[in-house]
Amino acid sequence: QVQLVESGGGLVQAGGSLRLACAASGRTFSRYTIGWFRQAPGKEREFVAAISWTGANTYYADSMKGRFTISRDNPKKTVYLQINSLKLEDAAVYYCAAGSQYSSSPGDSQSEYNYWGQGTQVTVSS
């Protein structure tokens, strides 16, 4: 089992950058695919990006490619989501989640992810 805690959210001006962190507890963190999702007010939660257990493979939602970068540091038990050139529509609660173990193919379906953090709020001002 793994517990996840997100951090790094806050209020940022449009055009700015943020790096979100997903810190894990538990000895098995390095086995898991980790995904980032987000949910804006009044909208369904959507997939942002995912990274395989070794960090060798990443997968992004088409609309997120170019401005979002996912990475992981297994010794630190942390996965990061770098967001550049923030837009107003990026405002949401961002969640990280742990999915399959030992998978090289990170997925985008929420049903693949069993452990979720509580989320971190990203607010973007104009």
Side-chain angles (χ1 to χ4, degrees), residues 113-124:
Y113 294 85
N114 300 310
Y115 305 103
W116 292 79
Q118 83 291 345
T120 186
Q121 177 73 52
V122 171
T123 303
V124 184

